[in-house]
Structures are given as structure tokens and as C-alpha cells.
Amino acid sequence: MRKVLLVTGGSRGIGAATCILAAQKGWDVAVNYSANAQAANSVVQQIEAAGGRAISVQADVAHEGQVLAMFQKVRTELGPLQGLVNNAGVVDVSARLDEMSMARWRRMFDINVLGSMLCAREAILQMSTRHGGHGGSIVNLSSAAARLGSPGQYLDYAAAKGAIDSFTLGLAKEVAGEGIRVNAIRPGLIDTEIHASGGLPNRVKDLEHLVPAKRGGSAMEVAQAIVWLLSDEASYTTMSLVDVSGGR
Ligand code: NAP
């Protein structure tokens, strides 16, 4: 049976590296994106050129109707899911708490937290033996920010990632008897476009002296850990929060 994986935010950065590596390891991959169809199609083309199978699927993970339609499309075109990577995530520009708006916090939690919970709910309905599924693996993207707190920069993002850690621990126990493993990855400073989206395009170079390994990480270094957690090689690993952060 082919194994089907959905990666939210699979079109760029860590998500794109995860899609490409997972396809190399034999997964059929659904590459989700919210706005940049060209980037998602480019990932699909790279996978197909290497002999793999992939589709792109648009959905804003914070929008329930779009997420339900995405899961339906993936099931129809690729089959039932065995893997979900809750990777879609956003930061915002640097600010102190006393400068932040409710609208900013709502976006931060809608996408980073509720989007992950929503996609996990839909995945469990397909994967859980309780619902007639054959089990699977869910990997949530947290962040080292959940430990560091990100004061003066984006502690709303850090708090959202802290919620992802708690969500991972609870969900892992809730579905462990139903064939589903749930883990989180906490990347450190990784070289992707997310930093430019927060107004700090040089953030990795500027902060790498704070990393014990003295460098930022690559998206593929994070993808390696994600794809391992998805695989049967990690068959007894659940409820783990895995730091991929060069020691930071
Ligand atoms: P990125 O390069 O900015 O890519 C973000 C991806 O998420 C894009 O594919 C984007 O697609 C998608 N996306 C954004 N909002 C979405 C939404 N509402 N619905 C669906 N897709 C959406 O980010 P990244 O650096 O690879 O980060 C990936 C994950 O790792 C995030 O959860 C992030 O918080 C976490 N992380 C990153 C770092 C780091 O240093 N890079 C460190 C710790 C944790 P569109 O372009 O179509 O919007």
C-alpha cells in the first residue's frame, strides 16, 4: 500500500525540504500552501522529476472550510493519510507585548495553533483505528522559541509554539492506543524566508554567534528529523519534543 503524507506549508522552507525528502523515502506527498501556488507547483515538479508522486493543494490552515476541502481532495486523489506534518507557521515583526494588537495575536494563534489542531483532528479521523484507519504519524513544528520565550521580538509566537508543545504531549497520549504517534520538532535558527517575513532577513547571520554550534541550520537538516519521526524507524517514539537547534 502506498503511504500518503500531507505537509502543511509544504511549498517553501522546512516544509518544502520535508516534501522532497519524504518523496525520496517513498511517500506520496500532498504539498499544501496558502498563497504561493508557484512555489508549491515547483516542489511537485521536483518530486515528479525524481520519479515520485505529489499534488499541490491550496488551503489556509486557519480556515476550517478550506481545511476540510483539502483533506477531502488529498483522500480522493492520493488515498487515506498515514502521515501529517503540521508545518505551516508564521511570525510577525519584532515588538514588545505592550505594542501588540489583539488582531496580531489572533492571527498568530489561528494559524500556528488552531490550524495545527484542526489538521490533526482531520488526520486522526482518517488514521485512527477507532475510526477504521490503519494508524499513522503526526509531526508538529514547534520552535526553540517555546523554551526561549522570544522577549522583545515575538513572545506571542513563542507562546503559540509553547501551546504546540502541550498539544503534542496530550494528543500523543490520547491516540497512542489507536496506532498514531505524535511528536514535535523544535527547530532553532534555520535559514528560510520566515525571518524576512518578520522584517529580519539577516536574522540567522545576526544571531548565529548565540548558537553553540556557531551556525544556523538548513531546512534539510530539520526535514531529516521530521522524516525519521514519520517513518517506521521511529515506531516506539511518541510524545517527544525533538530539538534541532545546534545546541541553542
Ligand atoms: P517559511 O519559509 O516562511 O514557509 C512557510 C510555509 O507555510 C510556506 O509554505 C507558506 O505558504 C505556508 N503558510 C503560511 N501561512 C499559511 C497558512 N495560513 N496556511 C497554509 N500554509 C501557510 O517558514 P519556515 O521557516 O520553513 O517554517 C516552517 C515551520 O517551522 C513554521 O511552523 C515555523 O514556525 C517553524 N520554525 C521555523 C524556524 C526557522 O528558523 N525557520 C525556527 C523554528 C520553528 P505560502 O507561501 O503559500 O503562504
Side-chain angles (χ1 to χ4, degrees):
M1 193 173 68
R2 302 287 302 174
K3 288 195 303 179
V4 177
L5 170 67
L6 169 61
V7 181
T8 68
S11 54
R12 295 190 290 111
I14 293 167
T18 301
C19 289
I20 288 163
L21 185 63
Q24 286 170 12
K25 303 279 185 189
W27 290 87
D28 292 347
V29 183
V31 181
N32 160 255
Y33 67 99
S34 69
N36 189 338
Q38 200 181 355
N41 290 334
S42 159
V43 173
V44 169
Q45 280 162 15
Q46 282 182 69
I47 290 171
E48 288 176 342
R53 188 164 174 230
I55 60 168
S56 67
V57 53
Q58 192 280 333
D60 177 343
V61 295
H63 190 291
E64 187 172 17
Q66 293 179 23
V67 168
L68 296 184
M70 169 171 72
F71 275 81
Q72 189 59 51
K73 177 177 159 131
V74 174
R75 188 173 194 137
T76 303
E77 295 191 16
L78 294 179
L81 281 184
Q82 282 85 44
L84 167 69
V85 181
N86 269 320
N87 167 81
V90 292
V91 296
D92 210 320
V93 295
S94 295
R96 288 169 44 98
L97 186 81
D98 50 18
E99 298 164 341
M100 292 178 188
S101 67
M102 284 287 282
R104 169 178 166 140
W105 295 337
R106 288 212 168 92
R107 170 176 175 267
M108 196 60 62
F109 277 74
D110 276 355
I111 296 174
N112 293 340
V113 183
L114 299 189
S116 296
M117 293 172 69
L118 183 56
C119 290
R121 183 187 76 190
E122 293 308 306
I124 284 164
L125 287 170
Q126 292 190 24
M127 293 173 178
S128 169
T129 53
R130 181 189 173 98
H131 299 292
H134 300 289
S137 174
I138 297 174
V139 179
N140 296 321
L141 267 292
S142 172
S143 171
R147 291 183 279 107
L148 299 169
S150 306
Q153 189 155 65
Y154 34 58
L155 57 75
D156 51 348
Y157 171 80
K161 294 301 188 180
I164 289 295
D165 285 0
S166 300
F167 172 58
T168 301
L169 299 176
L171 184 63
K173 289 187 207 166
E174 192 164 290
V175 297
E178 300 168 25
I180 303 174
R181 296 180 295 103
V182 185
N183 295 285
I185 297 279
R186 294 195 293 204
L189 273 175
I190 308 300
D191 193 10
T192 72
E193 294 167 350
I194 201 170
H195 309 291
S197 72
L200 300 170
N202 300 320
R203 184 165 178 266
V204 174
K205 277 277 161 248
D206 290 347
L207 297 184
E208 66 184 7
H209 66 281
L210 299 174
V211 181
K214 296 294 173 216
R215 66 173 178 87
S218 71
M220 193 49 83
E221 287 177 302
V222 182
Q224 292 282 1
I226 295 171
V227 173
W228 175 73
L229 283 173
L230 288 171
S231 77
D232 290 341
E233 291 171 13
S235 53
Y236 202 51
T237 303
T238 193
M239 214 190 84
S240 295
L241 309 177
V242 179
D243 291 313
V244 182
S245 61
R248 183 162 178 248

